[in-house]
Amino acid sequence: MQQSIPLLEDPDTARLPREGANGHRNVYLETYGCQMNVSDSEIVASVLRRAGFGLTHDPERADVVLLNTCAIRENAEQRVRHRLNYFRTRKRKRDQHLKIGVLGCMAERLRYKLLEQEQLVDIVAGPDAYRDLPRLLNEVAETGQSAVNVQLSREETYADIAPLRYASGGVSAFVSIMRGCDNMCAFCVVPFTRGRERSRNADTILTECQQLFDKGYREVTLLGQNVNSYQDGPVDFATLLYRISLISPELRIRYSTSHPKDCSEALLDVHKRQPNVCNYIHLPVQHGNSDVLQRMRRGYTVDEYRALIARARDLCPGISLSTDIIAGFCGETDTEHRDTLALLEDIQYDHAFMFMYSERPDTYAARKYADDVPEEVKKQRLTEIIALQNRISLENNRSEIGSTHTVLVEGPSKRSDAQFCGRTDTNKLVVFDRLSLQKGTYTRVRITGCTSATLMGEVISD
Ligand code: SAH
Ligand code: SF4
Ligand code: F3S
């Protein structure tokens, strides 16, 4: 998914003419992939702004185009290659001075190969090299040669860099709490693109959350590939969450992603005890069959996963759950596929992100197994999974009609300025009349209608 997030326009700098190698340059930054990448782009923007670069939301006014990329599936990379093609054509035909950079996971996966495969790319910078971007940009400007930094780090957490929060609407912000992943799930490229797991210092996280609250933010989403393995000295994830929840009852806290194998009783207990720790967990199961889970090297069985869900529902009644599903993993039989459908039917998630398996070079699955489920079969299975989940999401949403929720008002809805949208504690998007509501405030909403993805409601005063 590409995030269409505008950069802060800075009219003064955006209008400056080009001044050659050492003059002022405007950067256009485009983000692909997960929330982690969105959060990283806010760090990149901050690093560049501090180094004196201008930032523009208009690629036509950019001297430097940076694509912050994703490598999770082949089609994510294809999207980036198309976009690179577009900028390459522009550079060749009418804008020789344009510099093109690839950041993020695709940069890390392909490294120097990117320079060969994608001619006219000037900068390649991996996820741990963002402090070095000003130097890389200057090097390119001065030498006319390409500049590469794909060094992964065991320490870098960008803890001291205040993100430039251009991707947020001022109410809800991402806060990165750890980087990398040590899990090595068989299908996944992330450990290769983001390196070893490391946790950010807890005090800097707490300070950042407090500052966000002071600026009027009312929701933080803590980010990491496996937040449950957060550890800073004695502070584990449950403790961190608890401490952040004490900042203010008015600050909602979410997180993503938690790995089922490390979801602790202490964590569920914080959900139960702290009303501002949202009653929602994204708990990706990936598959409904234990043999497949073992091939995937996920570290839990379907029964263990079911027991965890039962425990979460027991401790936190009404907790909302979402998941990720992969269809057509190596060796998946029709019976195994049906187990995924059965699990979805059983658990009744509110939402799921559903994907066709895409082999990623160098992963355990790519080295050890054949990618042997034919494309049409993968497609067919994914279609069945999506149809089932859409029906379940719709049914779950329908059962909300008539109920009331406390909604954090985020701002205008996508479709109309006359309508506002916000989220329930359970992470459901609700659309309602704007009235005289202010964004960043809480309001009570009665649910009056729905689709499988959105609730419609009316504001009530109680
Ligand atoms: N750290 C998270 C996942 C991050 S990647 C976790 O473990 O839950 C987001 C999702 O992309 C994964 O949960 C998985 O469903 C999907 N995914 C990852 N690699 C994939 C691949 N090779 N093909 C298809 N989907 C993939
Ligand atoms: Fe990938 Fe597994 Fe790590 Fe998630 S936990 S990022 S799926 S290796
Ligand atoms: Fe993609 Fe990298 Fe995120 S591969 S999903 S951008 S961690």
Side-chain angles (χ1 to χ4, degrees):
M1 117 193 72
Q2 182 205 330
Q3 310 283 330
S4 53
I5 32 182
L7 276 170
L8 280 184
E9 185 60 90
D10 184 341
D12 294 334
T13 55
R15 263 186 250 109
L16 285 178
R18 290 202 179 99
E19 292 167 14
N22 295 314
H24 190 95
R25 279 163 294 157
N26 286 314
V27 178
Y28 168 76
L29 176 58
E30 198 166 275
T31 309
Y32 296 78
C34 63
Q35 295 169 331
M36 209 70 197
N37 254 17
V38 175
S39 172
D40 279 3
S41 283
E42 293 185 328
I43 288 166
V44 167
S46 174
V47 168
L48 293 175
R49 174 62 64 90
R50 263 205 252 170
F53 288 87
L55 297 165
T56 175
H57 62 65
D58 180 1
E60 286 299 317
R61 286 202 278 182
D63 308 286
V64 181
V65 165
L66 299 178
L67 304 187
N68 191 4
T69 63
C70 174
I72 199 83
R73 285 169 290 275
E74 175 62 26
N75 61 7
E77 293 201 358
Q78 278 311 331
R79 225 165 291 142
V80 170
R81 289 189 198 275
H82 280 131
R83 196 67 174 139
L84 281 173
N85 243 338
Y86 167 81
F87 286 114
R88 189 165 36 219
T89 308
R90 167 173 151 194
K91 180 166 175 169
R92 205 176 274 139
K93 290 205 172 140
R94 60 184 167 91
D95 202 354
Q96 292 160 28
H97 300 289
L98 182 71
K99 301 294 178 206
I100 303 173
V102 180
L103 317 181
C105 291
M106 215 175 142
E108 193 61 50
R109 188 177 87 71
L110 291 162
R111 303 176 162 218
Y112 287 87
K113 275 191 221 149
L114 254 181
L115 298 177
E116 296 156 27
Q117 291 171 5
E118 303 289 335
Q119 284 163 20
L120 302 186
V121 164
D122 303 285
I123 299 138
V124 179
D128 288 342
Y130 298 150
R131 281 179 206 269
D132 199 26
L133 272 173
R135 187 189 69 77
L136 295 172
L137 289 173
N138 288 334
E139 191 178 309
V140 166
E142 280 158 23
T143 66
Q145 306 281 308
S146 50
V148 177
N149 185 343
V150 286
Q151 191 74 45
L152 284 172
S153 157
R154 278 176 178 255
E155 290 94 34
E156 181 62 274
T157 57
Y158 301 112
D160 56 320
I161 296 181
L164 193 79
R165 300 209 172 263
Y166 72 89
S168 87
V171 176
S172 180
F174 293 135
V175 176
S176 205
I177 64 162
M178 56 195 300
R179 301 182 71 81
C181 183
D182 285 350
N183 280 313
M184 290 286 180
C185 301
F187 50 79
C188 187
V189 76
V190 171
F192 302 89
T193 64
R194 296 211 158 237
R196 299 304 297 269
E197 200 167 273
R198 64 218 98 121
S199 297
R200 176 178 166 189
N201 169 283
D203 291 337
T204 68
I205 298 169
L206 279 157
T207 307
E208 188 172 329
C209 292
Q210 178 71 55
Q211 284 170 349
L212 284 165
F213 182 76
D214 294 343
K215 280 189 199 149
Y217 284 82
R218 290 296 175 263
E219 182 178 270
V220 290
T221 302
L222 311 177
L223 295 181
Q225 291 302 345
N226 176 11
V227 290
N228 294 340
S229 52
Y230 177 90
Q231 196 74 50
D232 177 35
V235 183
D236 64 4
F237 184 58
T239 312
L240 179 73
L241 201 57
Y242 178 70
R243 289 202 188 155
I244 298 171
S245 76
L246 299 180
I247 289 175
S248 164
E250 294 278 296
L251 182 69
R252 277 185 172 175
I253 304 142
R254 304 185 189 279
Y255 55 86
S256 190
T257 301
S258 48
H259 195 300
K261 79 175 164 56
D262 311 313
C263 189
S264 68
E265 188 79 8
L267 176 61
L268 295 177
D269 199 52
V270 177
H271 273 279
K272 182 183 153 86
R273 273 192 295 152
Q274 301 302 102
N276 58 335
V277 173
C278 289
N279 207 21
Y280 163 68
I281 312 188
H282 180 59
L283 212 49
V285 69
Q286 311 297 355
H287 207 277
N289 177 283
S290 292
D291 293 339
V292 179
L293 287 176
Q294 194 173 15
R295 294 205 291 283
M296 288 178 162
R297 307 177 110 195
R298 286 291 287 181
Y300 51 85
T301 63
V302 174
D303 284 346
E304 284 162 354
Y305 183 86
R306 282 179 202 269
L308 174 62
I309 298 286
R311 185 73 187 135
R313 284 184 162 153
D314 194 32
L315 279 176
C316 313
I319 194 162
S320 173
L321 298 166
S322 61
T323 196
D324 293 349
I325 298 286
I326 297 179
F329 185 62
C330 309
E332 185 193 63
T333 64
D334 202 51
T335 315
E336 288 168 344
H337 161 62
R338 307 233 146 259
D339 286 342
T340 294
L341 296 174
L343 185 77
L344 292 179
E345 192 77 78
D346 233 43
I347 306 255
Q348 301 273 310
Y349 293 102
D350 283 312
H351 183 71
F353 299 92
M354 298 156 281
F355 311 103
M356 250 190 334
Y357 173 60
S358 163
E359 185 178 87
R360 309 312 292 134
D362 301 328
T363 54
Y364 185 85
R367 286 184 284 116
K368 301 284 183 192
Y369 313 136
D371 180 13
D372 54 1
V373 178
E375 189 78 5
E376 319 82 71
V377 178
K378 281 185 189 170
K379 259 192 204 140
Q380 175 57 31
R381 289 178 182 171
L382 180 65
T383 307
E384 286 174 29
I385 289 170
I386 292 174
L388 171 61
Q389 183 53 44
N390 282 351
R391 196 199 80 212
I392 294 169
S393 298
L394 183 62
E395 282 168 8
N396 284 359
N397 280 353
R398 279 209 184 116
S399 72
E400 298 273 6
I401 294 175
S403 67
T404 55
H405 284 276
T406 301
V407 169
L408 174 59
V409 180
E410 286 184 18
S413 82
K414 267 191 197 148
R415 298 233 173 106
S416 143
D417 270 359
Q419 299 224 287
F420 263 10
C421 67
R423 277 176 196 277
T424 63
D425 179 32
T426 50
N427 203 37
K428 295 199 175 185
L429 189 68
V430 194
V431 176
F432 41 88
D433 284 343
R434 179 177 191 146
L435 308 174
S436 54
L437 293 168
Q438 297 292 316
K439 67 179 200 173
T441 58
Y442 291 95
T443 186
R444 294 289 291 172
V445 174
R446 180 184 294 115
I447 307 306
T448 54
C450 71
T451 66
S452 63
T454 312
L455 300 174
M456 272 65 82
E458 59 188 13
V459 174
I460 53 172
S461 42
D462 46 5

